[in-house]
């Protein structure tokens, strides 16, 4: 699912797909679903990191991400935002991530 998330005053293109959790693990060395927390206590840092992964998927190829993107690139990316911009955008990031699971195929039976 491709979309745009507004982080502070910046429109950020993001792409969520089946590769996103694997890329996340490659960059951050932890499992996204375990790091995310529980439904009643979600880890904001993890969602911010996934936002970075989803953004990287729009600006680099899969191979470029695996070969060149490091955790230092994440820290450089977050410096463009104000302190509360990313925490305030976590709901939008997760909504885009979860929207990838919706089907676009119409059911044959009603």
């Amino acid at each position: 699912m491709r979309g745009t998330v507004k982080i502070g005053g910046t429109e950020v293109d993001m792409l969520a797909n089946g590769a996103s959790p694997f890329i996340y693990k490659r960059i951050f060395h932890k499992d996204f679903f375990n790091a995310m927390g529980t439904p009643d206590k979600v880890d904001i840092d993890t969602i911010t990191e996934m936002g970075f992964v989803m953004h990287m998927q729009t600006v680099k190829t899969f191979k470029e991400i695996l070969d060149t993107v490091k955790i230092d690139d994440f820290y450089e990316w977050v410096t463009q935002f104000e302190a509360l911009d990313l925490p305030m955008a976590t709901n939008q990031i997760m909504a885009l991530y979860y929207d990838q699971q919706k089907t676009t195929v119409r059911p044959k039976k009603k």
Side-chain angles (χ1 to χ4, degrees):
M1 171 68 70
R2 184 179 288 270
T4 302
V5 173
K6 188 167 185 168
I7 303 176
T10 306
E11 299 276 329
V12 179
D13 291 330
M14 294 190 178
L15 171 67
N17 60 30
S20 301
F22 297 100
I23 295 169
Y24 178 91
K25 188 170 189 173
R26 182 79 175 254
I27 295 170
F28 297 103
H29 306 288
K30 55 187 176 180
D31 181 85
F32 171 67
F33 298 106
N34 287 334
M36 201 166 71
T38 60
D40 59 324
K41 188 175 181 196
V42 177
D43 186 72
I44 292 173
D45 292 344
T46 300
I47 297 170
T48 300
E49 293 165 349
M50 180 53 83
F52 169 73
V53 168
M54 291 164 52
H55 174 65
M56 285 293 104
Q57 289 181 272
T58 66
V59 296
K60 294 185 180 284
T61 67
F62 182 72
K63 183 165 176 29
E64 287 174 327
I65 294 170
L66 296 181
D67 290 348
T68 64
V69 176
K70 306 290 182 233
I71 197 164
D72 290 341
D73 299 312
F74 166 72
Y75 294 121
E76 186 173 324
W77 181 72
V78 297
T79 61
Q80 69 183 304
F81 305 110
E82 297 295 326
L84 294 177
D85 289 350
L86 285 159
M88 297 298 286
T90 56
N91 286 340
Q92 292 178 65
I93 293 169
M94 287 315 297
L96 181 62
Y97 182 81
Y98 284 122
D99 276 351
Q100 73 166 315
Q101 297 177 0
K102 292 181 182 175
T103 183
T104 57
V105 176
R106 291 185 188 163
K108 293 181 181 179
K109 295 182 181 180
K110 291 185 179 187

